[in-house]
């Protein structure tokens, strides 16, 4: 059966959000007395739920990790969200899939209100049936939770007809926890090794290759 319902991650999959996210993380870490000059060091924060990353990379407690997200948003909600751009070829790929009859959805760990703002700003909203994300209070932040939420909100019960697209292991693992397969993409922030280790069912190198792959599975 062809998979007609395509779920897309946002950061690192549809848009290159690294500049704004890493600067916002830098801002949050500075609040806790941690100085990071090289923004490349903070690239692993792009994509996964932020509380998890603060805990994993800087050993924050659960409370500090949650609080750090609010400090992060002081920068990101004002400026960082615009320090972002769609990847080359993304618009064309979405256009072609839409014309071919695929139904496209967003399933992101970014807060849903911000995800909608970003997609509207870059005039990508019209390609999607539904944009699903985390709650503003960081509930429903895990990728599997977001995927299930998008499925429930859209009455999608046939898991054989859905595939998740993402650039990090959290996308792959979250999809499998939700009972659907996943495509890992290499133009984002995850390495091929990371995606294969997470169990990606397919790998695509470019947006064009991704669009061609989706039509065959």
């Amino acid at each position: 059966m062809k998979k007609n319902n395509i779920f897309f991650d946002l950061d690192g999959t549809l848009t290159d959000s690294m500049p704004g996210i890493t600067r916002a993380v830098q801002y949050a870490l500075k609040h806790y007395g941690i100085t990071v000059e090289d923004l490349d060091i903070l690239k692993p924060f792009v994509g996964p739920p932020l509380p998890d990353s603060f805990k994993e990379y800087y050993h924050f407690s659960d409370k500090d990790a949650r609080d750090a997200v609010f400090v992060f948003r002081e920068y990101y909600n004002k400026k960082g969200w615009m320090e972002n751009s769609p990847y080359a070829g993304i618009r064309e790929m979405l256009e072609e899939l839409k014309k071919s009859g695929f139904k496209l959805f967003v399933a992101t760990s970014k807060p849903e209100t911000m995800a909608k703002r970003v997609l509207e700003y870059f005039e990508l909203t019209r390609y999607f049936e539904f944009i699903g994300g985390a709650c503003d209070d960081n509930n429903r932040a895990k990728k599997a939770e977001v995927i299930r939420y998008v499925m429930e909100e859209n009455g999608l019960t046939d898991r054989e007809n859905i595939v998740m697209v993402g650039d990090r292991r959290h996308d792959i693992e979250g999809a499998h926890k939700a009972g659907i397969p996943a495509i890992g993409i290499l133009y984002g922030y995850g390495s091929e090794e990371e995606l294969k280790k997470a169990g990606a069912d397919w790998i695509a190198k470019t947006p064009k290759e991704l669009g061609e792959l989706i039509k065959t599975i």
Side-chain angles (χ1 to χ4, degrees):
M1 179 185 294
K2 179 174 281 191
K3 300 184 189 317
N4 289 321
N5 298 304
I6 316 301
F7 287 17
F8 288 90
D9 174 46
L10 177 53
D11 294 328
T13 299
L14 295 175
T15 67
D16 180 2
S17 53
M18 192 272 287
I21 289 177
T22 54
R23 288 171 187 156
V25 172
Q26 181 187 52
Y27 175 87
L29 290 173
K30 188 176 181 180
H31 177 82
Y32 288 89
I34 302 168
T35 300
V36 179
E37 298 294 346
D38 183 359
L39 292 177
D40 283 346
I41 293 172
L42 303 178
K43 280 184 179 180
F45 278 81
V46 182
L50 285 169
D52 292 355
S53 295
F54 280 115
K55 288 188 286 187
E56 180 177 354
Y57 300 115
Y58 289 92
H59 311 294
F60 279 25
S61 67
D62 287 344
K63 181 182 184 305
D64 283 345
R66 289 193 300 268
D67 291 346
V69 173
F70 290 99
V71 181
F72 169 97
R73 290 177 184 166
E74 290 176 8
Y75 180 95
Y76 191 82
N77 290 4
K78 182 178 180 180
K79 185 178 180 181
W81 70 276
M82 290 184 289
E83 297 171 329
N84 191 1
S85 60
Y87 285 107
I90 283 294
R91 199 179 305 275
E92 295 81 357
M93 182 264 294
L94 296 174
E95 187 80 43
E96 178 60 28
L97 290 176
K98 188 92 170 167
K99 284 181 180 178
S100 298
F102 291 89
K103 291 188 176 182
L104 312 180
F105 304 81
V106 172
T108 174
S109 294
K110 182 187 289 297
E112 188 169 303
T113 52
M114 181 56 70
K116 289 177 178 178
R117 186 193 299 181
V118 168
L119 291 165
E120 185 67 26
Y121 182 74
F122 291 115
E123 299 181 346
L124 296 176
T125 304
R126 66 189 181 90
Y127 296 111
F128 298 101
E129 306 290 322
F130 184 85
I131 297 166
C135 299
D136 287 338
D137 62 2
N138 284 322
N139 286 323
R140 198 178 66 227
K142 301 288 188 183
K143 186 53 62 98
E145 295 170 342
V146 175
I147 291 171
R148 293 189 190 104
Y149 161 69
V150 174
M151 292 172 63
E152 289 166 5
E153 289 294 308
N154 292 277
L156 301 174
T157 57
D158 184 1
R159 285 172 166 77
E160 294 295 317
N161 197 22
I162 305 171
V163 65
M164 178 74 207
V165 179
D167 69 312
R168 300 299 307 277
R169 64 178 176 84
H170 305 79
D171 300 305
I172 309 303
E173 293 167 354
H176 291 165
K177 285 179 182 177
I180 64 173
I183 300 171
I185 54 95
L186 297 182
Y187 57 84
Y189 293 105
S191 66
E192 186 168 9
E193 179 183 6
E194 174 185 336
L195 293 167
K196 285 184 174 180
K197 187 175 180 180
D201 299 277
W202 302 273
I203 298 281
K205 295 179 181 178
T206 66
K208 183 178 180 180
E209 186 177 308
L210 172 62
E212 293 170 351
L213 173 63
I214 286 171
K215 290 181 179 181
T216 68
I217 60 176

